[in-house]
Amino acid sequence: MAEAAPATNVTKHIDNSDGVIAQANGSPATYSAPSRVTLHLGHLPSKKDIKAPWPRTPSRVDPNNPPWPAYRGYHEYSFAHATMGVRLPTILGKAIDDTSRTLNEQYAEDKIVDLVECLERMDTLMADLSGNAKLRPIIDDGEGDVALWNKEIAKYFQGKDFMNAPWLFAEAYKYRRLHECFSVGKYWKDYDVFYRQKCDTFSRSTDAVFELSMRFAEPFKQSENMSDKEKAENERLMFLELTQVCLWGNSTDLSLLINMTEEQIKSLQSTGGDHLAATEKNILGNHLNQLWETVKVLRDKTGGRIDFVLDNAGFELYCDFVYADFLIQTGLAKQILFHGKRYPWFVSDVTRKDWDWLLNTMVYGHLFPKASEAERESLRRLGARWKQYEKDGRWQYEQHPFWCTGYTFWDLHSEAPDLFLHLSRSDLVYFKGDLNHRKLTYDCAAPASVPFDISIGPMASAAGAPKICSLRTIKSDVVVGLGDDGDAIAERLDKEEPGWKISGKYAVVLLSEGRPGEKVRFA
């Protein structure tokens, strides 16, 4: 019988380059920590603070896929939710009340029957809005924008409803449907359900109206005792102050302030110098000085054409006129074109009727019974001078169908090439107010630090794009152009002043240099 071999003590070392495995006396293997090499990089360049590019969610940009995420009615964190769920039904309800009041003032049966049918269509719209119905095509009512509307609905919004379509499109669609309630009828095609509100708000703007008319009733003249340098500086300061008057005149937006008291209107419309100095700190994106450098050289050019894409009627339009009057008198502009809407739009937007009403009320009206004779005379002189500008062609009112579509201005170049070509011939285009700013920037959740010229896309980058200035009192979610610290500013205000984006307390004056002078090209 063979004897068992004696036990021996054996240790094996296996180098597997990650460490050494030791096995002794049959014990389980143990693993040593892998060796590490530390590099000292003291002579390499220091790390840089690199900002990531602004995120763009879709691979392509179209009306249902903006360059940054869209605001939609079901987003409870956004102003879109409050607008689609509360504001728009409230506004439509007031429009129905206005139409019912007009109905009760009629005596001719055919007009009464026609207006009753308009009211029935408004009730249907209210049911669609409240019930979150699908967006149907626009009925052909003879307007020049029908094809644009139905093309956009067919291509991008089939099956979409009021709450899941982008807020900007859904809100515009509601106003187009409201116009359709009247435009398919016989007698009330041009009826303005907001006309009474617009006139009433201007009539309650007494203090601000006469604050300006008493200053500017007489033609602007520089003192003969001033040197050329002093005159230039005085003109610059006046330009900056009147730009602010034009900017803050946008505070009176009837779609947002539908239950204003007279005292609230006075507060919003204060145009005194001390007030303007105090409010400039609330201009978060402030290109006022760059704007002056752009405008002051126009006097030496042969063109000197400035365009205003208008926003609100009433007091804001009055401020626009005061500003435009200064530009004409100082020779900074030889011609000014005003772009309004073809029909009632977003409650208080300017139509031709609003334009004519304001000028004629200033010259012939008795809107301010408590005003002194000197105040009334100052208003008459202003109105007469402005009407003369219109007669001799220095002021012109235009109303292209594109302004009342659901498209943003990113699509202006492709969907309204005639209008883009027309604007490209301007030395400077002012876009007034919140809605125009939303359309310029695609009304999406872009970071506040995104530069203005990036956020407006083809309106800055397309060949021939004009210089653009947005004068906007902030009343909705989209905020851009606040500079490198813009995101931090927005975050701080979100914490310290919830609701700052819809309060009207803050504003932006943003300038895009565009690509003026280049030949406009279309695909």
Side-chain angles (χ1 to χ4, degrees), residues 62-118:
D62 65 48
N64 195 39
N65 295 284
W68 289 273
Y71 297 109
R72 301 177 191 267
Y74 65 82
H75 292 161
E76 295 185 11
Y77 61 84
S78 72
F79 191 44
H81 184 72
T83 296
M84 300 307 298
V86 179
R87 283 181 57 239
L88 289 191
T90 300
I91 290 168
L92 182 55
K94 287 181 174 289
I96 292 173
D97 292 343
D98 176 273
T99 308
S100 299
R101 176 180 170 184
T102 299
L103 176 68
N104 295 333
E105 296 170 348
Q106 304 307 305
Y107 62 89
E109 183 179 9
D110 52 350
K111 287 191 173 184
I112 291 173
V113 171
D114 194 31
L115 195 54
V116 167
E117 292 174 353
C118 294

Short mmCIF file of all heavy atoms in Angstrom, two decimals, residues 62-118:
data_model
loop_
_atom_site.label_atom_id
_atom_site.label_comp_id
_atom_site.label_asym_id
_atom_site.label_seq_id
_atom_site.Cartn_x
_atom_site.Cartn_y
_atom_site.Cartn_z
N ASP A 62 -39.94 73.76 -37.31
CA ASP A 62 -41.21 74.03 -38.00
C ASP A 62 -42.22 74.50 -36.97
O ASP A 62 -41.93 74.48 -35.76
CB ASP A 62 -41.70 72.79 -38.77
CG ASP A 62 -42.05 71.61 -37.88
OD1 ASP A 62 -42.78 71.81 -36.89
OD2 ASP A 62 -41.62 70.48 -38.18
N PRO A 63 -43.41 74.94 -37.38
CA PRO A 63 -44.35 75.54 -36.41
C PRO A 63 -44.70 74.66 -35.21
O PRO A 63 -45.05 75.19 -34.15
CB PRO A 63 -45.59 75.83 -37.28
CG PRO A 63 -45.01 76.13 -38.63
CD PRO A 63 -43.87 75.16 -38.77
N ASN A 64 -44.64 73.35 -35.35
CA ASN A 64 -44.93 72.48 -34.22
C ASN A 64 -43.66 72.06 -33.48
O ASN A 64 -43.74 71.40 -32.44
CB ASN A 64 -45.69 71.23 -34.67
CG ASN A 64 -46.32 70.49 -33.51
OD1 ASN A 64 -46.84 71.10 -32.56
ND2 ASN A 64 -46.26 69.17 -33.55
N ASN A 65 -42.50 72.41 -33.99
CA ASN A 65 -41.21 72.06 -33.38
C ASN A 65 -40.30 73.28 -33.40
O ASN A 65 -39.42 73.39 -34.26
CB ASN A 65 -40.55 70.90 -34.12
CG ASN A 65 -41.34 69.62 -34.01
OD1 ASN A 65 -41.32 68.95 -32.98
ND2 ASN A 65 -42.04 69.27 -35.08
N PRO A 66 -40.51 74.22 -32.49
CA PRO A 66 -39.68 75.43 -32.45
C PRO A 66 -38.22 75.09 -32.15
O PRO A 66 -37.90 73.95 -31.80
CB PRO A 66 -40.30 76.24 -31.31
CG PRO A 66 -41.66 75.69 -31.13
CD PRO A 66 -41.56 74.24 -31.47
N PRO A 67 -37.33 76.07 -32.28
CA PRO A 67 -35.90 75.81 -32.04
C PRO A 67 -35.59 75.41 -30.59
O PRO A 67 -34.59 74.78 -30.32
CB PRO A 67 -35.22 77.13 -32.42
CG PRO A 67 -36.31 78.14 -32.40
CD PRO A 67 -37.55 77.42 -32.77
N TRP A 68 -36.43 75.81 -29.65
CA TRP A 68 -36.38 75.34 -28.27
C TRP A 68 -37.78 74.86 -27.92
O TRP A 68 -38.72 75.13 -28.67
CB TRP A 68 -35.92 76.45 -27.33
CG TRP A 68 -34.47 76.81 -27.49
CD1 TRP A 68 -33.42 76.22 -26.85
CD2 TRP A 68 -33.90 77.81 -28.34
NE1 TRP A 68 -32.23 76.79 -27.26
CE2 TRP A 68 -32.50 77.77 -28.18
CE3 TRP A 68 -34.43 78.74 -29.24
CZ2 TRP A 68 -31.63 78.62 -28.86
CZ3 TRP A 68 -33.57 79.58 -29.93
CH2 TRP A 68 -32.19 79.52 -29.73
N PRO A 69 -37.96 74.14 -26.81
CA PRO A 69 -39.29 73.58 -26.52
C PRO A 69 -40.40 74.62 -26.52
O PRO A 69 -40.25 75.72 -25.99
CB PRO A 69 -39.09 72.97 -25.12
CG PRO A 69 -37.63 72.64 -25.06
CD PRO A 69 -36.94 73.73 -25.83
N ALA A 70 -41.51 74.26 -27.13
CA ALA A 70 -42.65 75.17 -27.24
C ALA A 70 -43.40 75.26 -25.92
O ALA A 70 -43.40 74.32 -25.11
CB ALA A 70 -43.60 74.69 -28.34
N TYR A 71 -44.06 76.40 -25.69
CA TYR A 71 -45.03 76.51 -24.60
C TYR A 71 -46.37 76.01 -25.13
O TYR A 71 -46.82 76.41 -26.21
CB TYR A 71 -45.16 77.96 -24.14
CG TYR A 71 -43.89 78.52 -23.55
CD1 TYR A 71 -43.15 79.49 -24.23
CD2 TYR A 71 -43.41 78.08 -22.32
CE1 TYR A 71 -41.97 80.00 -23.70
CE2 TYR A 71 -42.23 78.59 -21.78
CZ TYR A 71 -41.52 79.54 -22.48
OH TYR A 71 -40.36 80.04 -21.96
N ARG A 72 -47.01 75.15 -24.38
CA ARG A 72 -48.30 74.59 -24.79
C ARG A 72 -49.31 74.75 -23.65
O ARG A 72 -48.93 74.85 -22.48
CB ARG A 72 -48.16 73.12 -25.20
CG ARG A 72 -47.18 72.92 -26.36
CD ARG A 72 -46.98 71.45 -26.72
NE ARG A 72 -45.85 71.29 -27.64
CZ ARG A 72 -45.94 71.25 -28.96
NH1 ARG A 72 -47.12 71.38 -29.54
NH2 ARG A 72 -44.85 71.10 -29.71
N GLY A 73 -50.58 74.77 -24.01
CA GLY A 73 -51.62 75.06 -23.03
C GLY A 73 -51.67 74.12 -21.85
O GLY A 73 -52.10 74.51 -20.76
N TYR A 74 -51.22 72.87 -22.03
CA TYR A 74 -51.28 71.93 -20.91
C TYR A 74 -50.07 72.07 -19.97
O TYR A 74 -50.00 71.38 -18.95
CB TYR A 74 -51.40 70.49 -21.42
CG TYR A 74 -50.21 69.97 -22.21
CD1 TYR A 74 -49.08 69.48 -21.57
CD2 TYR A 74 -50.23 69.96 -23.59
CE1 TYR A 74 -48.00 69.00 -22.29
CE2 TYR A 74 -49.15 69.49 -24.34
CZ TYR A 74 -48.04 69.00 -23.67
OH TYR A 74 -46.97 68.54 -24.39
N HIS A 75 -49.14 72.96 -20.29
CA HIS A 75 -48.00 73.20 -19.40
C HIS A 75 -48.45 74.09 -18.24
O HIS A 75 -48.50 75.31 -18.36
CB HIS A 75 -46.86 73.88 -20.16
CG HIS A 75 -46.22 73.01 -21.19
ND1 HIS A 75 -45.46 73.52 -22.23
CD2 HIS A 75 -46.22 71.66 -21.36
CE1 HIS A 75 -45.02 72.52 -22.98
NE2 HIS A 75 -45.47 71.39 -22.47
N GLU A 76 -48.74 73.48 -17.11
CA GLU A 76 -49.33 74.23 -15.99
C GLU A 76 -48.36 75.24 -15.39
O GLU A 76 -48.77 76.18 -14.72
CB GLU A 76 -49.80 73.25 -14.91
CG GLU A 76 -50.93 72.35 -15.39
CD GLU A 76 -51.49 71.47 -14.27
OE1 GLU A 76 -51.13 71.73 -13.10
OE2 GLU A 76 -52.26 70.56 -14.57
N TYR A 77 -47.06 75.07 -15.63
CA TYR A 77 -46.08 76.00 -15.09
C TYR A 77 -45.98 77.29 -15.90
O TYR A 77 -45.33 78.25 -15.48
CB TYR A 77 -44.69 75.33 -15.06
CG TYR A 77 -44.19 74.92 -16.43
CD1 TYR A 77 -43.54 75.82 -17.27
CD2 TYR A 77 -44.41 73.63 -16.90
CE1 TYR A 77 -43.11 75.45 -18.53
CE2 TYR A 77 -43.97 73.24 -18.16
CZ TYR A 77 -43.32 74.15 -18.96
OH TYR A 77 -42.90 73.79 -20.22
N SER A 78 -46.59 77.34 -17.06
CA SER A 78 -46.40 78.46 -17.97
C SER A 78 -47.62 79.37 -18.03
O SER A 78 -48.73 78.98 -17.62
CB SER A 78 -46.08 77.96 -19.39
OG SER A 78 -47.24 77.41 -19.98
N PHE A 79 -47.42 80.58 -18.55
CA PHE A 79 -48.52 81.52 -18.76
C PHE A 79 -49.47 81.00 -19.83
O PHE A 79 -50.63 81.42 -19.88
CB PHE A 79 -47.94 82.88 -19.15
CG PHE A 79 -48.95 83.99 -19.13
CD1 PHE A 79 -49.85 84.14 -18.08
CD2 PHE A 79 -48.98 84.94 -20.14
CE1 PHE A 79 -50.77 85.18 -18.06
CE2 PHE A 79 -49.90 85.98 -20.14
CZ PHE A 79 -50.80 86.09 -19.09
N ALA A 80 -48.99 80.09 -20.68
CA ALA A 80 -49.84 79.49 -21.70
C ALA A 80 -51.05 78.82 -21.07
O ALA A 80 -52.18 78.90 -21.59
CB ALA A 80 -49.04 78.48 -22.53
N HIS A 81 -50.85 78.14 -19.95
CA HIS A 81 -51.93 77.41 -19.29
C HIS A 81 -53.02 78.38 -18.81
O HIS A 81 -54.22 78.15 -19.02
CB HIS A 81 -51.36 76.62 -18.11
CG HIS A 81 -52.37 75.76 -17.41
ND1 HIS A 81 -52.88 74.61 -17.97
CD2 HIS A 81 -52.96 75.88 -16.18
CE1 HIS A 81 -53.74 74.06 -17.13
NE2 HIS A 81 -53.80 74.81 -16.04
N ALA A 82 -52.60 79.47 -18.16
CA ALA A 82 -53.57 80.45 -17.67
C ALA A 82 -54.29 81.13 -18.84
O ALA A 82 -55.48 81.43 -18.75
CB ALA A 82 -52.86 81.49 -16.81
N THR A 83 -53.57 81.35 -19.93
CA THR A 83 -54.17 82.02 -21.09
C THR A 83 -55.24 81.14 -21.73
O THR A 83 -56.37 81.58 -21.96
CB THR A 83 -53.09 82.37 -22.12
OG1 THR A 83 -52.18 83.30 -21.55
CG2 THR A 83 -53.71 82.99 -23.38
N MET A 84 -54.87 79.91 -22.05
CA MET A 84 -55.80 79.04 -22.76
C MET A 84 -56.96 78.61 -21.87
O MET A 84 -58.09 78.45 -22.34
CB MET A 84 -55.06 77.80 -23.28
CG MET A 84 -53.93 78.09 -24.24
SD MET A 84 -54.41 79.12 -25.65
CE MET A 84 -55.63 78.07 -26.46
N GLY A 85 -56.70 78.45 -20.57
CA GLY A 85 -57.74 77.97 -19.68
C GLY A 85 -58.65 79.04 -19.10
O GLY A 85 -59.82 78.77 -18.80
N VAL A 86 -58.12 80.27 -18.93
CA VAL A 86 -58.88 81.32 -18.25
C VAL A 86 -59.01 82.59 -19.09
O VAL A 86 -60.11 83.08 -19.34
CB VAL A 86 -58.23 81.66 -16.88
CG1 VAL A 86 -59.02 82.77 -16.19
CG2 VAL A 86 -58.16 80.42 -16.01
N ARG A 87 -57.87 83.15 -19.53
CA ARG A 87 -57.91 84.45 -20.20
C ARG A 87 -58.71 84.43 -21.48
O ARG A 87 -59.55 85.31 -21.72
CB ARG A 87 -56.48 84.95 -20.48
CG ARG A 87 -55.75 85.52 -19.28
CD ARG A 87 -54.36 86.00 -19.67
NE ARG A 87 -54.39 86.98 -20.72
CZ ARG A 87 -53.79 86.85 -21.90
NH1 ARG A 87 -53.11 85.75 -22.18
NH2 ARG A 87 -53.85 87.81 -22.80
N LEU A 88 -58.45 83.46 -22.36
CA LEU A 88 -59.14 83.46 -23.65
C LEU A 88 -60.65 83.25 -23.50
O LEU A 88 -61.43 83.94 -24.16
CB LEU A 88 -58.52 82.42 -24.58
CG LEU A 88 -57.12 82.73 -25.11
CD1 LEU A 88 -56.75 81.77 -26.23
CD2 LEU A 88 -57.02 84.17 -25.63
N PRO A 89 -61.12 82.32 -22.65
CA PRO A 89 -62.58 82.25 -22.44
C PRO A 89 -63.16 83.54 -21.88
O PRO A 89 -64.27 83.95 -22.24
CB PRO A 89 -62.73 81.08 -21.46
CG PRO A 89 -61.54 80.21 -21.71
CD PRO A 89 -60.42 81.19 -22.01
N THR A 90 -62.41 84.21 -20.98
CA THR A 90 -62.89 85.48 -20.42
C THR A 90 -63.00 86.54 -21.50
O THR A 90 -64.00 87.28 -21.59
CB THR A 90 -61.94 85.96 -19.31
OG1 THR A 90 -61.89 84.99 -18.27
CG2 THR A 90 -62.41 87.30 -18.73
N ILE A 91 -61.97 86.64 -22.34
CA ILE A 91 -61.97 87.62 -23.43
C ILE A 91 -63.11 87.33 -24.40
O ILE A 91 -63.83 88.25 -24.84
CB ILE A 91 -60.61 87.61 -24.15
CG1 ILE A 91 -59.52 88.20 -23.24
CG2 ILE A 91 -60.67 88.40 -25.46
CD1 ILE A 91 -58.11 87.96 -23.74
N LEU A 92 -63.30 86.06 -24.74
CA LEU A 92 -64.39 85.69 -25.65
C LEU A 92 -65.74 86.00 -25.02
O LEU A 92 -66.67 86.46 -25.71
CB LEU A 92 -64.27 84.21 -26.02
CG LEU A 92 -65.31 83.69 -27.02
CD1 LEU A 92 -65.30 84.51 -28.30
CD2 LEU A 92 -65.04 82.21 -27.34
N GLY A 93 -65.87 85.77 -23.72
CA GLY A 93 -67.12 86.10 -23.04
C GLY A 93 -67.44 87.58 -23.11
O GLY A 93 -68.59 87.97 -23.33
N LYS A 94 -66.41 88.42 -22.94
CA LYS A 94 -66.62 89.87 -23.06
C LYS A 94 -66.98 90.25 -24.49
O LYS A 94 -67.77 91.18 -24.72
CB LYS A 94 -65.36 90.62 -22.61
CG LYS A 94 -65.14 90.60 -21.10
CD LYS A 94 -63.90 91.38 -20.71
CE LYS A 94 -63.78 91.48 -19.19
NZ LYS A 94 -64.78 92.38 -18.60
N ALA A 95 -66.41 89.54 -25.48
CA ALA A 95 -66.74 89.81 -26.88
C ALA A 95 -68.20 89.46 -27.16
O ALA A 95 -68.90 90.18 -27.90
CB ALA A 95 -65.82 89.00 -27.79
N ILE A 96 -68.68 88.37 -26.57
CA ILE A 96 -70.09 88.00 -26.72
C ILE A 96 -70.99 89.06 -26.08
O ILE A 96 -72.02 89.44 -26.65
CB ILE A 96 -70.33 86.60 -26.11
CG1 ILE A 96 -69.61 85.53 -26.96
CG2 ILE A 96 -71.82 86.30 -26.02
CD1 ILE A 96 -69.64 84.14 -26.36
N ASP A 97 -70.59 89.55 -24.91
CA ASP A 97 -71.37 90.62 -24.25
C ASP A 97 -71.44 91.86 -25.12
O ASP A 97 -72.50 92.50 -25.23
CB ASP A 97 -70.75 90.96 -22.90
CG ASP A 97 -70.88 89.83 -21.88
OD1 ASP A 97 -71.71 88.93 -22.09
OD2 ASP A 97 -70.14 89.85 -20.88
N ASP A 98 -70.31 92.23 -25.73
CA ASP A 98 -70.28 93.42 -26.59
C ASP A 98 -71.20 93.23 -27.79
O ASP A 98 -71.95 94.16 -28.16
CB ASP A 98 -68.84 93.67 -27.07
CG ASP A 98 -68.74 94.82 -28.05
OD1 ASP A 98 -68.91 94.59 -29.27
OD2 ASP A 98 -68.51 95.96 -27.62
N THR A 99 -71.16 92.05 -28.39
CA THR A 99 -71.99 91.79 -29.57
C THR A 99 -73.46 91.79 -29.19
O THR A 99 -74.32 92.29 -29.95
CB THR A 99 -71.59 90.44 -30.20
OG1 THR A 99 -70.18 90.43 -30.44
CG2 THR A 99 -72.32 90.22 -31.52
N SER A 100 -73.78 91.25 -28.02
CA SER A 100 -75.18 91.25 -27.56
C SER A 100 -75.66 92.69 -27.34
O SER A 100 -76.82 93.02 -27.65
CB SER A 100 -75.29 90.45 -26.26
OG SER A 100 -74.90 89.11 -26.45
N ARG A 101 -74.78 93.53 -26.82
CA ARG A 101 -75.14 94.94 -26.63
C ARG A 101 -75.44 95.60 -27.97
O ARG A 101 -76.42 96.35 -28.10
CB ARG A 101 -74.00 95.66 -25.92
CG ARG A 101 -74.20 97.15 -25.75
CD ARG A 101 -73.01 97.77 -25.04
NE ARG A 101 -73.06 99.22 -25.07
CZ ARG A 101 -72.10 100.01 -24.58
NH1 ARG A 101 -71.03 99.47 -24.01
NH2 ARG A 101 -72.22 101.33 -24.66
N THR A 102 -74.61 95.32 -28.97
CA THR A 102 -74.84 95.87 -30.31
C THR A 102 -76.14 95.33 -30.89
O THR A 102 -76.91 96.07 -31.53
CB THR A 102 -73.66 95.52 -31.24
OG1 THR A 102 -72.46 96.10 -30.70
CG2 THR A 102 -73.88 96.05 -32.65
N LEU A 103 -76.42 94.06 -30.67
CA LEU A 103 -77.66 93.45 -31.16
C LEU A 103 -78.88 94.19 -30.61
O LEU A 103 -79.84 94.47 -31.34
CB LEU A 103 -77.70 91.98 -30.76
CG LEU A 103 -78.98 91.21 -31.12
CD1 LEU A 103 -79.11 91.06 -32.63
CD2 LEU A 103 -79.00 89.85 -30.43
N ASN A 104 -78.83 94.54 -29.33
CA ASN A 104 -79.96 95.20 -28.69
C ASN A 104 -80.16 96.63 -29.17
O ASN A 104 -81.20 97.25 -28.88
CB ASN A 104 -79.78 95.20 -27.17
CG ASN A 104 -79.81 93.80 -26.59
OD1 ASN A 104 -80.42 92.90 -27.17
ND2 ASN A 104 -79.13 93.59 -25.47
N GLU A 105 -79.17 97.17 -29.90
CA GLU A 105 -79.29 98.55 -30.42
C GLU A 105 -79.81 98.58 -31.86
O GLU A 105 -80.00 99.66 -32.42
CB GLU A 105 -77.91 99.21 -30.38
CG GLU A 105 -77.37 99.39 -28.95
CD GLU A 105 -75.91 99.81 -28.92
OE1 GLU A 105 -75.24 99.76 -29.97
OE2 GLU A 105 -75.43 100.19 -27.83
N GLN A 106 -80.03 97.40 -32.47
CA GLN A 106 -80.45 97.34 -33.87
C GLN A 106 -81.97 97.40 -34.01
O GLN A 106 -82.71 97.06 -33.08
CB GLN A 106 -79.93 96.06 -34.52
CG GLN A 106 -78.43 95.88 -34.44
CD GLN A 106 -77.67 97.08 -34.95
OE1 GLN A 106 -77.87 97.52 -36.08
NE2 GLN A 106 -76.78 97.61 -34.11
N TYR A 107 -82.41 97.82 -35.18
CA TYR A 107 -83.85 97.88 -35.46
C TYR A 107 -84.22 97.15 -36.76
O TYR A 107 -85.35 96.72 -36.95
CB TYR A 107 -84.33 99.32 -35.54
CG TYR A 107 -83.69 100.12 -36.65
CD1 TYR A 107 -84.26 100.15 -37.94
CD2 TYR A 107 -82.51 100.83 -36.44
CE1 TYR A 107 -83.65 100.87 -38.97
CE2 TYR A 107 -81.90 101.54 -37.46
CZ TYR A 107 -82.48 101.56 -38.72
OH TYR A 107 -81.88 102.26 -39.74
N ALA A 108 -83.25 97.01 -37.69
CA ALA A 108 -83.54 96.37 -38.99
C ALA A 108 -83.47 94.85 -38.82
O ALA A 108 -82.47 94.30 -38.34
CB ALA A 108 -82.54 96.83 -40.03
N GLU A 109 -84.52 94.15 -39.24
CA GLU A 109 -84.62 92.71 -39.00
C GLU A 109 -83.49 91.93 -39.67
O GLU A 109 -82.92 91.01 -39.06
CB GLU A 109 -85.96 92.19 -39.50
CG GLU A 109 -86.15 90.71 -39.21
CD GLU A 109 -87.50 90.18 -39.68
OE1 GLU A 109 -88.21 90.92 -40.38
OE2 GLU A 109 -87.82 89.02 -39.35
N ASP A 110 -83.14 92.27 -40.91
CA ASP A 110 -82.11 91.50 -41.60
C ASP A 110 -80.76 91.61 -40.89
O ASP A 110 -80.01 90.63 -40.78
CB ASP A 110 -81.99 91.91 -43.06
CG ASP A 110 -81.81 93.42 -43.25
OD1 ASP A 110 -81.97 94.17 -42.25
OD2 ASP A 110 -81.50 93.86 -44.38
N LYS A 111 -80.45 92.80 -40.36
CA LYS A 111 -79.19 92.97 -39.61
C LYS A 111 -79.25 92.23 -38.28
O LYS A 111 -78.24 91.66 -37.82
CB LYS A 111 -78.90 94.45 -39.39
CG LYS A 111 -78.44 95.19 -40.63
CD LYS A 111 -77.92 96.56 -40.28
CE LYS A 111 -77.29 97.23 -41.50
NZ LYS A 111 -76.70 98.55 -41.14
N ILE A 112 -80.42 92.24 -37.64
CA ILE A 112 -80.57 91.53 -36.38
C ILE A 112 -80.37 90.03 -36.58
O ILE A 112 -79.63 89.38 -35.84
CB ILE A 112 -81.96 91.82 -35.77
CG1 ILE A 112 -82.05 93.28 -35.31
CG2 ILE A 112 -82.25 90.87 -34.61
CD1 ILE A 112 -83.43 93.70 -34.84
N VAL A 113 -81.02 89.47 -37.60
CA VAL A 113 -80.91 88.04 -37.87
C VAL A 113 -79.46 87.67 -38.19
O VAL A 113 -78.94 86.65 -37.70
CB VAL A 113 -81.84 87.64 -39.04
CG1 VAL A 113 -81.56 86.21 -39.48
CG2 VAL A 113 -83.30 87.80 -38.63
N ASP A 114 -78.80 88.51 -38.96
CA ASP A 114 -77.40 88.23 -39.33
C ASP A 114 -76.50 88.25 -38.09
O ASP A 114 -75.62 87.40 -37.94
CB ASP A 114 -76.94 89.27 -40.35
CG ASP A 114 -75.64 88.88 -41.04
OD1 ASP A 114 -75.40 87.66 -41.22
OD2 ASP A 114 -74.84 89.77 -41.38
N LEU A 115 -76.75 89.19 -37.19
CA LEU A 115 -75.92 89.30 -35.99
C LEU A 115 -76.23 88.16 -35.01
O LEU A 115 -75.32 87.68 -34.31
CB LEU A 115 -76.13 90.66 -35.31
CG LEU A 115 -75.08 91.06 -34.26
CD1 LEU A 115 -73.67 90.99 -34.84
CD2 LEU A 115 -75.35 92.46 -33.72
N VAL A 116 -77.46 87.71 -34.96
CA VAL A 116 -77.79 86.54 -34.14
C VAL A 116 -77.00 85.32 -34.61
O VAL A 116 -76.49 84.53 -33.80
CB VAL A 116 -79.31 86.25 -34.19
CG1 VAL A 116 -79.62 84.86 -33.62
CG2 VAL A 116 -80.08 87.31 -33.41
N GLU A 117 -76.87 85.16 -35.92
CA GLU A 117 -76.08 84.05 -36.45
C GLU A 117 -74.60 84.19 -36.09
O GLU A 117 -73.91 83.20 -35.82
CB GLU A 117 -76.26 83.97 -37.97
CG GLU A 117 -77.67 83.56 -38.39
CD GLU A 117 -77.90 83.63 -39.89
OE1 GLU A 117 -76.98 84.13 -40.61
OE2 GLU A 117 -78.97 83.20 -40.36
N CYS A 118 -74.12 85.44 -36.05
CA CYS A 118 -72.73 85.67 -35.59
C CYS A 118 -72.57 85.21 -34.15
O CYS A 118 -71.58 84.57 -33.78
CB CYS A 118 -72.37 87.15 -35.71
SG CYS A 118 -72.29 87.78 -37.40
#
